[in-house]
Amino acid sequence: QVQLVESGGGLVQAGGSLRLSCAASGRIFSTYHMGWFRQAPGKEREFVARINWNGAYTIYADSVKGRFTISRDNAKNTVYLQMNSLKPEDTAVYYCAVDPDSDYKYDYWGQGTQVTVSS
């Protein structure tokens, strides 16, 4: 079992920055691929970014490419999402998730953290 706790959300003006954190506990974090997702009101959850187990490989949704950076610190069992140049359309609840089997299926999810970007 893996427990995930997100933090770092909040209210920010357009053009601002936030850094989200996701602390993991339970099994061996350093072997897992991790992802960030988001869900805006009235919309389906969407993929934001993914990082492989050692941080060497990352992928991003086109909507955040060049503005967001996913990273991880395996010594701290934590994955981060640095969000720059935020836009009102980035407003959503952000979730981190674990892909333990490297099959792009995320089996464990955090409770989410709210990000609100004002115009």
Side-chain angles (χ1 to χ4, degrees):
Q1 191 73 12
V2 178
Q3 293 81 43
L4 303 171
V5 179
E6 300 98 334
S7 61
L11 173 64
V12 64
Q13 289 188 333
S17 299
L18 283 174
R19 188 176 82 154
L20 305 184
S21 300
C22 173
S25 61
R27 299 175 64 187
I28 303 174
F29 172 81
S30 61
T31 66
Y32 294 152
H33 303 325
M34 301 291 296
W36 283 98
F37 292 77
R38 67 186 182 186
Q39 187 167 20
K43 296 187 176 181
E44 293 187 354
R45 186 172 59 198
E46 65 175 359
F47 167 78
V48 174
R50 173 182 171 94
I51 188 166
N52 79 322
W53 67 275
N54 66 356
Y57 179 69
T58 58
I59 55 176
Y60 297 91
D62 287 344
S63 58
V64 306
K65 201 172 295 183
R67 300 188 298 121
F68 290 11
T69 302
I70 188 171
S71 62
R72 67 190 296 161
D73 185 340
N74 285 344
K76 296 182 178 180
N77 280 13
T78 301
V79 63
Y80 304 98
L81 186 68
Q82 177 67 44
M83 306 185 296
N84 298 330
S85 302
L86 282 162
K87 304 175 181 180
E89 51 263 44
D90 294 318
T91 295
V93 178
Y94 283 71
Y95 301 89
C96 67
V98 176
D99 168 15
D101 299 320
S102 303
D103 59 0
Y104 289 83
K105 295 179 182 179
Y106 294 86
D107 295 332
Y108 303 101
W109 295 80
Q111 84 290 347
T113 185
Q114 176 71 47
V115 171
T116 303
V117 184
S118 63
S119 58

